[in-house]
Amino acid sequence: MSLSYTHAHYQGSGTTEVVAVLVAITNDSARVLTVDEGKLLPNGPLMPLHRSLQAGVRQWVEEQTQHPLGYIEQLYTFVDTNRRNAAGHALVYVSYLGLVQESQLSPLSSQATWQDWHVYFPWENHLSGTPECILSHIAPALLQWAYSATDKVQQKRRCQRVRLCWGIDWNEAVADSQADGKIVNIKDINQLDIRMTDWIAEHALLRYEMLYEAGLIPESPAYQPNKFARKIELCTMIGQPMYYDHRRVIATAISRLRAKIEYRPLIFGLMPEQFSVSQLQKSVEALSGVPLHTQNFRRLIEHQNLIEPTGQSISASRGRPAKLYRFRYDMELQSLLMDSKLPKQK
Amino acid sequence: MSLSYTHAHYQGSGTTEVVAVLVAITNDSARVLTVDEGKLLPNGPLMPLHRSLQAGVRQWVEEQTQHPLGYIEQLYTFVDTNRRNAAGHALVYVSYLGLVQESQLSPLSSQATWQDWHVYFPWENHLSGTPECILSHIAPALLQWAYSATDKVQQKRRCQRVRLCWGIDWNEAVADSQADGKIVNIKDINQLDIRMTDWIAEHALLRYEMLYEAGLIPESPAYQPNKFARKIELCTMIGQPMYYDHRRVIATAISRLRAKIEYRPLIFGLMPEQFSVSQLQKSVEALSGVPLHTQNFRRLIEHQNLIEPTGQSISASRGRPAKLYRFRYDMELQSLLMDSKLPKQK
DNA sequence: TCAAAAGTGTTATCCTTACACCCATGT
DNA sequence: ACATGGGTGTAAGGATAACACTTTTGA
């Protein structure tokens, strides 16, 4: 009943396992719990004893982290046809997202470590402007991929997808085109004048899937290490790979979190008991990966009546001390937090 | 490779199956494809040959309905501990939502039928005002359940959940309460003065789960046929039951559709080639179950630039003929439609 | 006293909602 | 002509984004 994992060969007798993306925020950065030196997400076999998947994951995770999980939800179910049991059935794995409060980070098992999720997705961190890796490596490589499509239609589709997923645009003029409109050659990839237009944080999964499809990451069967125009240090540009498709699972979690945080107060599942407004903001920024407007963030939060002052305040190293707040655990707010899956009463 | 199902006993050798909620709109009402006289959703074993679940479902459904599926997405994965294989593993079933265009409804297999989804969820139809079954039967029974909770805290929680899920409120004064605040007796359930406040269409799943938890539907292990204050005709009040938990799967689909239709143009996956604005509105209403403001609906749609006039128009029996439109299948719109799972190019 | 961080006020803009009204057609 | 459904204009209210500004502390 403890966290177990296998990576060289799948040997379970069942064909179903559960994979968890446990998220916490430490030092204003988002982290996920991993095993096997950051190469795998914690995973375990589906246990026949539990009434529901939800209940199984909850118990299983609580045993591992030694404290109750605040929030948990099912993410997505994947099939891994490379891993099959004796009868030839492909492995099915059901992924879950769980939120862990920083203050409650407690004894980890020997092999488990918390990893900043930007280790796996360096391009997702826009807190200090557009990351270099997009402009210098990823975008050029993706455009190479887009323009090397077989026909004109696919070429346009791919370009549009790049634009929408990555929020970039470029100068189409720097390209030769045939009579049928297909562009056959890009004069100089450096002259495409790639610029950021509209980065949408929630598209994290789409971006990962595009990199996968374009063969730019090692997990992909289409991977070719030399697809980048310039030589790169792999991990700092396209992130640290994981076994199987576990990076995709994290990408799914990131997308879900970023989308949901907009309209559900999930963030409180990650905060300590007391916090200042700016701590709250930094936590949201850690998840969304983009800087927020400080003044309006404060108003947004206060306007929603989700927090109440504790009376205490914290004096930062500099500047005016910040008032501390706590989340209002009213009856109504409990209900606001409720997801499609309510905590079953018994 | 055709749709197969079992309901008396689960006999598959694997432990995973796929269940599909295929939705179409006919005569301005939402329907789902069912088998076994409306008692089951189409389901089939997970096939080891497919690379992905997505691909499996798609092929499997296309074979059944004889035409390509427009849109498909994974819904949720359930475990049925009552159905186990020889090795004792509980059945895992992955559910999918698929949209089918009315015009393309084509040869069904002998045992498959399209069912109006209000057959299963009569309380979800608010197109002609609040349905009687809520006010006369469901709400009273739920309040009975809420006030019969063991302690005061649970009582308040349940009341709040009823309020939020069903958008109703009532007069708390018509009840005795003890010193500790727990209400021990409701003088007359008819005098609670239950009234509709804020119906939220997307809460369909929460509502189903509450009925399940309160033991008001036959699928629930807690089911007691006589929980209702007044004698009822079962199906017209709490809907037609299904085998296993398949009604919950449909409820999941309804919630997802209603939530998603707000910010994604999914509806076009259900429309015929050409349609008038009011046909479009009626289709959206069929899904959401609530009437929409006609004038503003038109503007909303036009403002989004999703449709373009075909030049033709249709003369209804009465009144001014309506212009016909088609969905703009531009490159960009293709991309707008894209879900977290892009159609893989190959 | 000044920099740094907390916190407030005000305005322009967009989107939603509601209501009033005109248009084109069959009977 | 008139009822019926199609279609347009416009104004109020709420939410968001942007900017200027005041407050409180430590160095």
Side-chain angles (χ1 to χ4, degrees):
Chain A
M1 196 74 56
S2 65
L3 288 180
S4 70
Y5 62 98
T6 59
H7 80 260
H9 299 288
Y10 174 64
Q11 309 225 14
S13 65
T15 54
T16 311
E17 69 177 35
V18 178
V19 174
V21 183
L22 299 184
V23 177
I25 294 180
T26 317
N27 295 334
D28 301 329
S29 68
R31 323 211 158 188
V32 292
L33 186 65
T34 63
V35 294
D36 200 13
E37 292 165 342
K39 293 287 204 281
L40 277 177
L41 287 170
N43 60 90
L46 178 69
M47 292 150 293
L49 31 143
H50 293 116
R51 283 171 311 115
S52 69
L53 275 172
Q54 178 101 353
V57 176
R58 195 174 280 278
Q59 180 194 322
W60 183 76
V61 165
E62 287 177 1
E63 279 199 28
Q64 170 59 214
T65 60
Q66 308 295 335
H67 69 84
L69 260 182
Y71 180 87
I72 186 172
E73 80 173 53
Q74 196 184 99
L75 272 178
Y76 201 79
T77 300
F78 303 86
V79 180
D80 188 338
T81 52
N82 294 320
R83 288 182 284 170
R84 296 172 185 273
N85 68 357
H89 288 107
L91 174 68
V92 173
Y93 55 103
V94 185
S95 58
Y96 274 82
L97 167 65
L99 303 186
V100 179
Q101 291 194 210
E102 177 183 26
S103 60
Q104 300 182 330
L105 292 181
S106 45
L108 292 171
S109 83
S110 54
Q111 64 207 357
T113 52
W114 289 97
Q115 300 277 346
D116 189 321
W117 75 28
H118 293 129
V119 166
Y120 305 104
F121 307 96
W123 59 86
E124 293 292 342
N125 188 355
H126 289 232
L127 287 177
S128 20
T130 304
E132 257 308 292
C133 61
I134 293 184
L135 296 174
S136 66
H137 293 86
I138 293 175
L142 284 173
L143 291 183
Q144 205 95 56
W145 166 74
Y147 283 116
S148 66
T150 52
D151 59 294
K152 181 193 157 196
V153 175
Q154 199 183 47
Q155 199 176 60
K156 290 210 86 171
R157 272 186 59 91
R158 284 187 180 178
C159 284
Q160 195 57 32
R161 281 175 60 197
V162 170
R163 256 185 283 267
L164 284 167
C165 289
W166 297 83
I168 60 176
D169 211 345
W170 59 89
N171 184 5
E172 288 246 336
V174 191
D176 288 326
S177 63
Q178 283 180 320
D180 64 359
K182 189 190 164 181
I183 291 166
V184 288
N185 186 37
I186 305 174
K187 285 171 191 153
D188 184 354
I189 201 98
N190 293 316
Q191 289 186 8
L192 279 175
D193 185 28
I194 296 164
R195 64 191 179 283
M196 220 54 199
T197 54
D198 183 26
W199 176 261
I200 296 173
E202 308 91 84
H203 285 356
L205 178 58
L206 290 170
R207 287 186 284 268
Y208 179 80
E209 289 183 328
M210 190 177 291
L211 293 178
Y212 188 98
E213 188 179 337
L216 296 175
I217 53 178
E219 283 93 335
S220 168
Y223 181 56
Q224 293 166 22
N226 296 325
K227 273 206 170 180
F228 291 95
R230 302 165 196 169
K231 290 288 164 231
I232 63 164
E233 281 179 69
L234 217 63
C235 287
T236 58
M237 289 300 156
I238 50 129
Q240 186 189 112
M242 295 181 88
Y243 294 127
Y244 311 136
D245 229 359
H246 280 195
R247 238 190 332 166
R248 185 189 300 259
V249 182
I250 302 182
T252 310
I254 294 175
S255 273
R256 184 80 126 256
L257 261 178
R258 287 180 174 176
K260 214 151 183 174
I261 206 175
E262 300 272 318
Y263 58 97
R264 286 278 168 83
L266 289 188
I267 188 67
F268 300 105
L270 293 164
M271 300 302 293
E273 180 67 26
Q274 292 187 41
F275 49 85
S276 68
V277 176
S278 67
Q279 279 176 286
L280 189 64
Q281 180 180 345
K282 279 176 195 148
S283 297
V284 175
E285 287 174 331
L287 294 187
S288 68
V290 293
L292 302 174
H293 185 123
T294 314
Q295 295 98 317
N296 289 338
F297 179 81
R298 159 170 267 100
R299 233 184 311 258
L300 185 74
I301 295 297
E302 281 173 349
H303 187 263
Q304 296 192 88
N305 254 53
L306 293 171
I307 59 176
E308 59 190 8
T310 64
Q312 295 179 264
S313 61
I314 189 163
S315 58
S317 55
R318 285 286 178 83
R320 173 173 170 176
K323 278 191 221 160
L324 287 178
Y325 296 83
R326 77 168 70 84
F327 183 51
R328 291 181 55 212
Y329 273 107
D330 304 288
M331 204 67 60
E332 304 108 78
L333 289 178
Q334 287 275 4
S335 315
L336 262 179
L337 268 172
M338 78 189 172
D339 196 64
S340 41
K341 298 290 157 186
L342 278 170
K344 294 290 158 42
Q345 296 290 2
K346 111 171 213 289
Chain B
M1 196 74 55
S2 66
L3 288 180
S4 70
Y5 62 97
T6 60
H7 80 260
H9 299 288
Y10 174 64
Q11 310 224 12
S13 65
T15 55
T16 311
E17 68 177 36
V18 178
V19 174
V21 183
L22 299 184
V23 177
I25 294 180
T26 318
N27 295 334
D28 300 328
S29 70
R31 321 212 161 187
V32 292
L33 186 65
T34 62
V35 295
D36 199 13
E37 292 166 342
K39 293 286 203 282
L40 278 178
L41 287 170
N43 60 90
L46 179 68
M47 291 151 295
L49 32 141
H50 292 117
R51 284 169 312 115
S52 69
L53 275 172
Q54 177 103 354
V57 177
R58 197 174 279 280
Q59 180 193 323
W60 185 76
V61 164
E62 286 175 3
E63 280 200 30
Q64 169 61 213
T65 60
Q66 308 293 336
H67 69 83
L69 262 183
Y71 179 87
I72 186 171
E73 80 173 52
Q74 196 184 100
L75 272 178
Y76 201 79
T77 299
F78 302 86
V79 180
D80 189 338
T81 51
N82 295 319
R83 288 182 284 170
R84 295 171 184 274
N85 69 357
H89 287 108
L91 174 68
V92 173
Y93 55 102
V94 185
S95 58
Y96 274 81
L97 167 65
L99 304 185
V100 179
Q101 291 193 210
E102 177 181 27
S103 61
Q104 299 181 332
L105 292 182
S106 45
L108 292 172
S109 83
S110 53
Q111 64 207 358
T113 53
W114 289 97
Q115 301 276 346
D116 188 319
W117 75 27
H118 292 129
V119 166
Y120 305 104
F121 307 96
W123 59 86
E124 293 293 340
N125 187 356
H126 289 230
L127 287 177
S128 19
T130 304
E132 256 308 291
C133 61
I134 293 184
L135 296 174
S136 66
H137 293 85
I138 293 175
L142 285 173
L143 291 184
Q144 205 94 56
W145 167 75
Y147 284 116
S148 67
T150 53
D151 59 293
K152 183 193 155 195
V153 175
Q154 199 184 46
Q155 198 177 58
K156 289 210 87 169
R157 273 185 59 92
R158 283 187 180 177
C159 284
Q160 196 57 34
R161 281 176 61 197
V162 170
R163 258 185 283 266
L164 284 167
C165 289
W166 295 84
I168 60 177
D169 211 343
W170 59 89
N171 183 5
E172 289 243 333
V174 192
D176 287 327
S177 60
Q178 283 179 321
D180 65 356
K182 188 188 167 185
I183 290 166
V184 289
N185 186 37
I186 305 174
K187 285 173 192 151
D188 184 355
I189 201 99
N190 293 316
Q191 289 185 9
L192 280 176
D193 185 28
I194 296 165
R195 64 190 179 283
M196 219 55 199
T197 55
D198 183 26
W199 176 261
I200 296 173
E202 307 91 86
H203 285 357
L205 178 58
L206 290 169
R207 286 187 284 268
Y208 179 80
E209 290 183 327
M210 189 177 291
L211 293 178
Y212 189 98
E213 188 179 337
L216 297 175
I217 53 176
E219 283 93 335
S220 168
Y223 181 55
Q224 293 165 22
N226 296 324
K227 274 207 171 179
F228 291 95
R230 302 165 196 169
K231 291 287 163 231
I232 62 164
E233 281 179 68
L234 216 66
C235 287
T236 57
M237 290 300 157
I238 50 131
Q240 187 189 111
M242 296 181 86
Y243 294 125
Y244 309 135
D245 229 359
H246 280 195
R247 245 201 312 177
R248 185 189 301 258
V249 182
I250 302 182
T252 309
I254 294 175
S255 273
R256 183 81 126 256
L257 260 178
R258 287 180 174 175
K260 213 152 184 175
I261 207 176
E262 300 272 318
Y263 58 97
R264 286 279 168 80
L266 290 187
I267 188 68
F268 300 106
L270 293 163
M271 301 300 294
E273 180 67 26
Q274 291 188 41
F275 49 85
S276 68
V277 176
S278 66
Q279 280 176 285
L280 187 64
Q281 181 179 345
K282 279 176 195 150
S283 297
V284 174
E285 287 175 331
L287 294 188
S288 68
V290 292
L292 303 173
H293 186 126
T294 315
Q295 295 99 316
N296 290 337
F297 178 81
R298 157 170 269 101
R299 231 183 312 256
L300 184 74
I301 294 297
E302 281 173 349
H303 185 262
Q304 297 193 87
N305 254 54
L306 294 170
I307 59 177
E308 60 189 8
T310 64
Q312 296 179 265
S313 61
I314 189 164
S315 57
S317 53
R318 283 289 176 79
R320 173 173 168 176
K323 277 192 221 161
L324 288 178
Y325 295 82
R326 76 168 70 85
F327 183 51
R328 290 181 54 212
Y329 273 106
D330 303 293
M331 205 66 59
E332 304 109 80
L333 289 179
Q334 288 275 4
S335 315
L336 262 179
L337 267 172
M338 78 190 172
D339 195 64
S340 42
K341 298 289 156 185
L342 279 170
K344 295 287 157 42
Q345 296 290 1
K346 159 180 170 233

